[in-house]
Amino acid sequence: MKAIMVVGTTSHAGKSLLTAAICRILSRRGWRVAPFKGQNMALNAYVTASGGEIGYAQAVQAWAAGVVPWVEMNPILLKPQGDMTSQVIIKGKAIGKVSAADYYEQYFELGWRSIEESLQHLSTEFDLLICEGAGSPAEINLKHRDLTNMRVAKYLNAPTLLVVDIDRGGAFAHVVGTLELLEPEERALIRGVVINKFRGQRSLLEPGIKWLEERTGIPVLGVIPYLETIFPAEDSLDLFERKSHKSSADLHISVIRLPRISNFTDFDPLESESTVMVKYLSPKQELGHPDAVILPGTKTSIADLLLLQRTGMAEAIQNYAAAGGTVLGICGGFQILGQTIADPEGIEGQAGRFQGLGLLPIKTVITGQKIARQRQVTSNHPQMGLPVTGFEIHQGRSRIETQGIDSQSYYPLFDDPNLGLVDSCQSVWGTYLHGIFDNGPWRRAWLNRLRQQRGLKSLPTGVANYRDQRENLLDSLATEIEQHLDLTPLLS
């Protein structure tokens, strides 16, 4: 089948964004396209309609292509656990945990077979694949077992774009060095270079472009300007680069940047609100007095709970809640807010029972069987009757502890009582539902409660869900990038 490959000189060169943009550009031109990433290492995940996990970036790319996300678009997903091990997910299903040293010995053959099967399946449904690589295709110590970059490009005989981030400096050296380290048959597939994140006048870059084209014999097919856009990120390194420009925001919300933070794409809709400042706070920093504190998802709830306790952040959050502050926990953060987390089998790394923050009357047991499913529920709080959609990804089972608890002190967030709780003061919230803020009316209702506490006027709640904003974002990204990118040599 016909395919285009996008690889980068480094991580964070802009491969995911460019792949999404190309998917939207070609979809608007009438192609039936789909994204593909053979192997992804990320803690931001999405659950497909079939209940399979894929990288969230591939879901966004599928939406950019105007198609439903499938597990075949990302057949291998590795979710790091922080102890030199990762959970291995093949075609959407978790099949084991493995150390970095043992991964390729145990899973290389199975992984490549799943890639081939996925490509065969996609080839029956789509005209064109837009394939994304990972990291760099020229890591000489890893190339012989790289399942993601030029092995896929060679298998598909795909014309390949090499993307470089010029904002980091050293772009010309990165391009030349990468090309020098590729095998001749790999280098022959590189049909164009894309210079990404360029600031300044294009004319000042022209001498460098001319030199690069003469030196490598490969044309520069695009110079993409630096785009001040929050695009769904793949890993937490992106959080260090985010800078908010909302100095006059009405509300300030702090998200605790847990070491193993996962699915922080949950908060992109909050960052899209012009009246909200979202700050990612290290557990070692002072909590201060934000309007709300969010404990996000985490791949290892127990390890991050223990870190919060060691750094004093756990006590700070408890004191903040006791003073009437609003605390929200999502997934792993929900578990941390409870009374205990038990891991009798050591699935997260250390067996035992651990005291949580005690802010919600739940007890959690980590189990081997993972729950991964899309959900449609109806809200009880902060407003009755709102339809809410999202997805669950968790291995813990939480039950509400009723002994010694006033039944009127806590209420279910949704019509499914197992999916979340809120206290009677509506100060402490917890839910297993990822994507909760994607629901525009629910998000605004929750924000309006914070605004009322500040004596601020409520915002309209009759707003579209975030998917509509995401569609506009993808359209604007594609329109901007299309002006600076020539895809003709790749399609002819």
Side-chain angles (χ1 to χ4, degrees):
M1 69 176 302
K2 190 167 181 60
I4 294 172
M5 188 82 192
V6 179
V7 299
T9 58
T10 60
S11 296
H12 306 285
K15 299 182 293 293
S16 296
L17 183 145
L18 186 60
T19 299
I22 294 173
C23 283
R24 178 55 57 96
I25 289 168
L26 295 181
S27 176
R28 294 194 304 202
R29 294 183 188 178
W31 292 78
R32 180 159 172 78
V33 298
F36 180 81
K37 186 165 186 173
Q39 177 177 292
N40 197 354
M41 178 174 280
L43 287 175
N44 282 336
Y46 177 77
V47 176
T48 67
S50 65
E53 284 186 77
I54 63 173
Y56 195 88
Q58 279 62 66
V60 173
Q61 291 161 358
W63 294 323
V67 298
V68 174
W70 293 354
V71 294
E72 288 83 3
M73 296 170 184
N74 177 208
I76 309 172
L77 177 62
L78 304 178
K79 303 185 82 169
Q81 298 197 163
D83 57 354
M84 298 299 292
T85 67
S86 292
Q87 185 178 59
V88 181
I89 297 166
I90 302 287
K91 288 190 177 179
K93 301 301 180 184
I95 64 170
K97 183 177 76 170
V98 68
S99 69
D102 296 333
Y103 170 66
Y104 287 99
E105 180 179 343
Q106 296 181 22
Y107 290 102
F108 182 87
E109 296 298 332
L110 174 62
W112 181 246
R113 188 163 63 249
S114 73
I115 288 172
E116 288 183 308
E117 292 169 354
S118 296
L119 288 170
Q120 290 296 324
H121 181 73
L122 293 172
S123 71
T124 65
E125 298 289 337
F126 298 97
D127 304 324
L128 178 66
L129 286 187
I130 313 300
C131 304
E132 180 189 349
S136 161
E139 301 290 357
I140 57 174
N141 58 316
L142 301 176
K143 276 173 84 324
H144 66 288
R145 57 187 188 185
D146 185 349
L147 287 167
T148 318
N149 290 294
M150 302 312 292
R151 186 183 300 270
V152 171
K154 288 193 296 181
Y155 181 80
L156 295 170
N157 194 31
T160 301
L161 286 174
L162 179 62
V163 188
V164 61
D165 176 0
I166 197 171
D167 192 53
R168 294 175 181 269
F172 298 108
H174 284 158
V175 171
V176 173
T178 299
L179 293 172
E180 287 293 324
L181 293 175
L182 295 180
E183 299 299 326
E185 64 272 19
E186 296 172 335
R187 178 173 170 143
L189 291 172
I190 307 293
R191 303 295 170 77
V193 173
V194 176
I195 297 174
N196 193 26
K197 305 181 190 178
F198 176 66
R199 305 174 192 255
Q201 296 180 344
R202 169 69 184 260
S203 59
L204 298 178
L205 188 61
E206 287 298 335
I209 291 176
K210 182 180 179 181
W211 177 90
L212 187 62
E213 291 180 332
E214 292 176 349
R215 173 69 170 76
T216 65
I218 298 171
V220 173
L221 297 180
V223 178
I224 312 298
Y226 193 99
L227 302 175
E228 295 286 352
T229 301
I230 293 178
F231 188 78
E234 286 199 313
D235 62 55
S236 58
L237 288 177
D238 293 81
L239 298 181
F240 291 95
E241 298 180 357
R242 291 194 178 183
K243 297 179 177 63
S244 178
H245 303 289
K246 302 176 189 175
S247 57
S248 59
D250 295 333
L251 298 176
H252 291 74
I253 296 176
S254 291
V255 178
I256 307 302
R257 197 179 67 235
L258 301 171
R260 299 157 188 86
I261 185 171
S262 64
N263 280 85
F264 56 84
T265 46
D266 284 342
F267 312 119
D268 289 348
L270 284 179
E271 297 198 54
S272 75
E273 292 276 1
S274 61
T275 62
V276 176
M277 167 88 83
V278 177
K279 180 179 181 181
Y280 289 88
L281 199 67
S282 164
K284 297 179 181 179
Q285 292 179 267
E286 292 292 327
L287 182 61
H289 303 282
D291 295 289
V293 173
I294 299 178
L295 280 171
T298 165
K299 188 66 186 71
T300 50
S301 301
I302 291 172
D304 283 351
L305 164 64
L306 296 177
L307 179 84
L308 292 176
Q309 293 170 342
R310 288 196 304 272
T311 60
M313 179 60 78
E315 183 179 3
I317 293 172
Q318 289 166 328
N319 292 338
Y320 171 84
T326 298
V327 180
L328 168 64
I330 298 178
C331 198
F334 177 34
Q335 297 172 351
I336 289 171
L337 290 178
Q339 295 179 349
T340 61
I341 306 176
D343 187 0
E345 301 175 42
I347 291 169
E348 288 194 359
Q350 48 185 320
R353 181 182 298 272
F354 304 87
Q355 293 297 316
L357 271 60
L359 298 180
L360 287 175
I362 63 169
K363 292 185 176 181
T364 299
V365 178
I366 306 298
T367 62
Q369 184 179 2
K370 177 180 281 194
I371 293 176
R373 58 188 176 183
Q374 293 186 358
R375 299 300 306 273
Q376 295 182 347
V377 292
T378 302
S379 73
N380 296 324
H381 300 277
Q383 182 176 326
M384 286 287 293
L386 293 176
V388 176
T389 62
F391 56 93
E392 293 179 73
I393 312 176
H394 56 93
Q395 289 190 257
R397 302 296 195 276
S398 298
R399 64 177 176 84
I400 300 172
E401 180 60 44
T402 56
Q403 186 174 1
I405 302 294
D406 182 352
S407 62
Q408 300 300 310
S409 297
Y410 298 90
Y411 304 97
L413 266 182
F414 308 107
D415 54 356
D416 181 345
N418 297 313
L419 201 53
L421 282 178
V422 59
D423 71 0
S424 57
C425 298
Q426 295 192 41
S427 294
V428 182
W429 307 66
T431 181
Y432 270 123
L433 196 67
H434 289 292
I436 189 169
F437 290 120
D438 286 29
N439 299 275
W442 193 94
R443 179 179 72 246
R444 283 289 178 87
W446 187 77
L447 290 174
N448 281 340
R449 188 184 179 282
L450 300 180
R451 294 178 67 85
Q452 290 163 10
Q453 292 177 323
R454 292 277 306 274
L456 298 169
K457 182 180 177 180
S458 292
L459 299 171
T461 57
V463 295
N465 290 335
Y466 183 66
R467 63 173 173 265
D468 295 327
Q469 293 172 264
R470 185 177 58 230
E471 281 296 302
N472 293 333
L473 168 64
L474 290 168
D475 267 331
S476 62
L477 278 173
T479 298
E480 177 69 22
I481 288 175
E482 191 170 17
Q483 299 176 50
H484 304 281
L485 179 64
D486 179 13
L487 293 174
T488 306
L490 306 176
L491 298 171
S492 57

